[in-house]
């Protein structure tokens, strides 16, 4: 469980907003003349008109009866307070107008009149001495609008005991919307298990960077991590192991439901993955009927891949897939990921037959079928709208397979291992991580364009970008933070900011300015020598 520097009553909102604030570098590098936002917005202009000063009397005005705006205003109020007696009050706009005060302090106003072109995640943030306005078309837009606002505040706002007073915000205007709708991170909880509190920490830090998809890899050879009604042995047996022989663990139905709810409050959708037909030793140990010989193998706690598979000729296997997908579909979310990678023990025709039938089992649940890029390589006849996650370094041959899948109606999520696999070492001196895909420095993870990755695939077929973190060598939440940050911030900018507005030099400066905010939040990030980090301390 992660100990926070923040008071418990403010923790969820602060970290949530942290994700929001993280967008703009609240801490400005000494050489920067204007605020530095992260990810870079579509448009930002700054004026010399003065500053907006936040006081405990600052009212937060929301549209009448809008519960979404009321919730986001509450998050912002928690950020702007250092105790209950300094928390700005939230008021419906009409009620506020009925009781005018000559000495009323300048307000922070939530409005729903953003341009339609900004969609549900876009926003306009306007800061002037007399008023701050957050305009959006939906609660997600208001939430994302709070993020540059937070970044315009000093990093010390993240501390409780050293809260800076007064708070001032420089005047300017930000107009913004995301480039891609899928901005994700994958966390492997199968090789090493991470409990609900640790996953919530990850969610908070994702939200800090406007990421909106958490892909949970819930099963593998080393462990099965979620309860499935009617199959208790999956967790009672398969949930008790992990890499290196640790005790493992699993999520109860209540645990997983709470993770999904907590993520949704931060505009993050959880994507569950049950890896099939390979990477299944934990399932085979606990459920012998999934084996062709009906005999359970021994538990596995190493890191070798490709040696396990369910029996694709048994009807019990497809009953199992049906029960698993039905259980996952009971939670909020629109996608079910059924793996499909590194199945070395099945002939291609058997693999193709299994994955074809598996997607047909998912379809009646109303969820979209998703799988790793082996389904494209083996020409699985994917249903229209299916999602292929491209994970292997792209070659001309694999690009052709991916383009064919798109031509047949599939869409892509890009996760190139040689760019954004967060478990790959930063450099040769990094203690954690693997090197099979090379080395992934901070610039490597940032300096590429999703549109140029796969020849023959149009931007419209790319849903977005997702950075996987496999956990063969990752055992604690601090390990997660170290391997994810700062690279995950770069992935967030790739997914959010138009390519024409991105450059390594500009990003490197803004990233360096952001370090003190991570430090204030207790994030164990890697202080890469590629970046000139701003000094840490209370402002």
């Amino acid at each position: 469980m992660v100990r926070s520097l923040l008071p418990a009553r403010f923790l969820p909102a602060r970290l949530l907003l942290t994700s929001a604030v993280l967008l703009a570098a609240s801490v400005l590098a000494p050489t920067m003349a204007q605020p530095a936002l992260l990810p870079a917005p579509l448009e930002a202009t700054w004026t010399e008109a003065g500053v907006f000063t936040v006081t405990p009397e600052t009212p937060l005005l929301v549209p009448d009866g809008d519960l979404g705006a009321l919730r986001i205003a509450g998050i912002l109020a928690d950020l702007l307070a250092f105790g209950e007696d300094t928390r700005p009050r939230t008021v419906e706009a009409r009620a506020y107008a009925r009781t005018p005060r000559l000495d009323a302090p300048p307000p922070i106003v939530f409005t729903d009149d953003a341009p339609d072109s900004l969609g549900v995640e876009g926003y306009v943030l306007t800061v002037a001495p007399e008023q701050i306005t957050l305009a959006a078309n939906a609660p997600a837009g208001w939430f994302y609008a709070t993020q540059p606002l937070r970044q315009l505040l000093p990093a010390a706002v993240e501390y409780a005991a050293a809260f800076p007073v007064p708070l001032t915000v420089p005047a300017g205007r930000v107009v913004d919307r995301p480039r891609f709708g899928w901005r994700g991170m994958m966390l492997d909880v199968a090789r090493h298990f991470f409990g609900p509190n640790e996953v919530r920490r990850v969610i908070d830090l994702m939200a800090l960077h406007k990421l909106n998809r958490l892909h949970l890899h819930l099963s593998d050879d080393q462990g099965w991590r979620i309860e499935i009604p009617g199959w208790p042995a999956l967790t009672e047996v398969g949930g008790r192991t992990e890499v290196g022989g640790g005790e493992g663990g699993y999520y109860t139905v209540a645990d997983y439901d709470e993770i999904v709810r907590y993520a949704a409050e931060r505009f993050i959708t959880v994507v569950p993955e049950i890896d099939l037909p390979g990477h299944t030793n934990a399932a085979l140990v606990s459920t012998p009927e999934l084996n062709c010989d009906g005999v359970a193998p021994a538990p596995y706690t190493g890191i070798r891949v490709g040696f396990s598979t369910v029996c694709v000729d048994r009807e019990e296997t497809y009953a199992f897939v049906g029960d698993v997908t039905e259980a996952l579909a009971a939670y909020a979310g629109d996608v079910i990921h059924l793996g499909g990678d590194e199945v070395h023990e099945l002939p291609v025709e058997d693999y193709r037959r299994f994955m074809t039938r598996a997607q047909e089992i998912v379809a009646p649940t109303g969820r979209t079928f998703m799988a790793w890029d082996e389904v494209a390589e083996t020409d699985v006849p994917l249903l229209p709208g299916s999602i292929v996650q491209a994970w292997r370094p792209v070659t001309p041959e694999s690009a052709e397979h991916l383009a064919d899948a798109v031509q047949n109606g599939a869409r892509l999520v890009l996760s190139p291992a040689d760019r954004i696999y967060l478990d790959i070492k930063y450099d040769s001196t990094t203690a954690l991580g693997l090197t099979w895909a090379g080395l992934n420095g901070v610039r490597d993870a940032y300096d590429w364009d999703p549109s140029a990755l796969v020849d023959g695939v149009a931007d419209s077929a790319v849903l977005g970008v997702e950075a996987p973190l496999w956990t063969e060598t990752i055992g604690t939440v601090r390990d997660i933070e170290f391997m994810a940050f700062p690279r995950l911030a770069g992935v967030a900018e790739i997914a959010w900011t138009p390519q024409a507005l991105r450059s390594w030099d500009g990003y490197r400066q803004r990233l360096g300015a952001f370090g003190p905010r991570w430090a204030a939040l207790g994030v164990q990030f890697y202080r890469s020598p590629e970046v000139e980090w701003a000094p840490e301390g209370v402002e």
Side-chain angles (χ1 to χ4, degrees):
M1 186 169 178
V2 179
R3 184 174 178 271
S4 171
L5 297 176
L6 305 175
R9 63 182 180 279
F10 292 143
L11 178 58
R14 282 187 181 281
L15 281 177
L16 165 57
L17 233 102
T18 293
S19 83
V21 175
L22 200 47
L23 277 176
S26 300
V27 184
L28 305 181
T31 59
M32 291 184 180
Q34 61 183 25
L37 305 184
L38 182 68
L42 187 65
E43 175 188 329
T45 56
W46 310 102
T47 73
E48 299 297 328
V51 298
F52 181 96
T53 301
V54 181
T55 75
E57 299 300 315
T58 299
L60 277 58
L61 309 185
V62 300
D64 291 15
D66 195 314
L67 297 180
L70 190 66
R71 186 172 73 83
I72 305 306
I75 292 168
L76 181 58
D78 283 344
L79 173 71
L80 299 174
F82 59 91
E84 250 341 291
D85 57 343
T86 65
R87 189 177 193 272
R89 61 196 175 100
T90 300
V91 187
E92 290 189 339
R94 189 176 301 167
Y96 184 78
R98 285 198 299 264
T99 57
R101 286 173 44 192
L102 293 177
D103 62 341
I108 298 174
V109 181
F110 289 73
T111 72
D112 55 6
D113 58 353
D116 291 343
S117 60
L118 297 182
V120 298
E121 293 186 309
Y123 62 87
V124 179
L125 170 66
T126 306
V127 180
E130 65 275 9
Q131 180 171 303
I132 293 177
T133 303
L134 296 85
N137 297 310
W142 282 315
F143 175 70
Y144 294 133
T146 63
Q147 301 180 15
L149 177 55
R150 184 173 189 169
Q151 292 177 43
L152 294 172
L153 298 170
V157 76
E158 311 300 345
Y159 293 112
F163 197 85
V165 177
L167 292 176
T168 59
V169 187
R173 186 169 186 264
V174 178
V175 181
D176 206 6
R177 68 172 182 268
R179 178 183 182 185
F180 291 112
W182 191 294
R183 306 181 302 278
M185 174 184 176
M186 188 220 77
L187 178 62
D188 170 16
V189 297
R191 288 179 174 84
H192 279 100
F193 179 67
F194 296 91
N197 287 335
E198 295 164 314
V199 174
R200 283 191 285 268
R201 170 69 168 182
V202 171
I203 289 169
D204 288 331
L205 293 174
M206 288 178 63
L208 184 63
H209 296 275
K210 293 183 182 174
L211 296 170
N212 68 352
R213 292 278 178 164
L214 173 59
H215 171 179
L216 288 178
H217 184 76
L218 293 165
S219 72
D220 214 294
D221 293 311
Q222 299 86 355
W224 183 282
R225 305 304 184 202
I226 186 169
E227 282 187 328
I228 303 296
W231 301 80
L234 287 171
T235 48
E236 291 173 1
V237 178
R240 298 303 183 185
T241 50
E242 64 179 20
V243 166
E247 65 181 12
Y250 64 89
Y251 306 120
T252 65
V253 168
D255 288 337
Y256 189 76
D257 187 63
E258 169 59 18
I259 288 170
V260 170
R261 183 201 62 78
Y262 190 85
E265 289 179 349
R266 288 142 183 82
F267 300 94
I268 293 172
T269 300
V270 176
V271 177
E273 181 193 353
I274 299 297
D275 209 346
L276 294 164
H279 287 275
T280 51
N281 198 76
L284 302 176
V285 170
S286 53
T287 314
E289 57 264 41
L290 300 179
N291 296 276
C292 286
D293 61 5
V295 177
Y300 184 70
T301 58
I303 63 172
R304 184 166 58 92
V305 300
F307 62 88
S308 63
T309 178
V310 296
C311 188
V312 300
D313 295 323
R314 284 193 164 201
E315 282 305 307
E316 293 91 338
T317 296
Y318 299 99
F320 167 75
V321 176
D323 287 347
V324 168
T325 55
E326 184 178 347
L328 296 178
Y331 302 99
D334 54 355
V335 173
I336 292 177
H337 198 307
L338 288 188
D341 61 318
E342 299 176 320
V343 187
H344 300 163
E345 296 301 317
L346 276 182
V348 170
E349 59 272 20
D350 287 345
Y351 171 86
R352 187 184 299 119
R353 175 163 54 91
F354 175 86
M355 295 305 289
T356 299
R357 189 166 173 184
Q359 70 169 339
E360 292 168 351
I361 292 172
V362 170
T365 70
R367 304 300 188 265
T368 297
F369 172 80
M370 184 173 184
W372 299 103
D373 61 34
E374 282 88 341
V375 293
E377 180 184 52
T378 56
D379 298 321
V380 172
L382 296 170
L383 297 174
S386 297
I387 302 172
V388 177
Q389 186 164 7
W391 68 275
R392 292 174 293 183
V394 177
T395 65
E397 183 181 6
S398 67
E400 184 176 347
H401 287 302
L402 292 170
D404 287 346
V406 167
Q407 182 67 30
N408 291 324
R411 298 164 296 167
L412 302 184
V413 169
L414 303 180
S415 302
D418 55 343
R419 288 291 187 172
I420 57 171
Y421 261 36
L422 301 176
D423 54 295
I424 296 298
K425 291 175 180 284
Y426 288 98
D427 59 35
S428 60
T429 68
T430 308
L432 301 174
L434 303 174
T435 59
W436 68 267
L439 299 170
N440 283 352
V442 175
R443 183 169 186 171
D444 296 325
Y446 176 81
D447 208 3
W448 63 283
D449 179 9
S451 295
L453 187 68
V454 185
D455 288 341
V457 172
D459 262 13
S460 58
V462 177
L463 292 179
V465 180
E466 180 179 294
L469 178 55
W470 303 99
T471 61
E472 288 94 338
T473 68
I474 311 302
T476 70
V477 75
R478 295 307 188 198
D479 295 343
I480 292 174
E481 293 174 1
F482 181 82
M483 297 301 283
F485 295 101
R487 290 183 293 194
L488 191 61
V491 172
E493 181 152 304
I494 291 168
W496 183 277
T497 305
Q499 179 66 23
L501 299 181
R502 295 200 301 113
S503 73
W504 164 247
D505 288 339
Y507 171 70
R508 177 179 172 274
Q509 281 191 308
R510 288 179 286 112
L511 187 63
F514 200 76
R517 189 170 302 277
W518 281 328
L521 288 163
V523 178
Q524 186 68 33
F525 67 97
Y526 171 61
R527 289 161 174 80
S528 168
E530 297 177 87
V531 177
E532 185 178 348
W533 298 99
E536 296 170 13
V538 177
E539 298 176 43

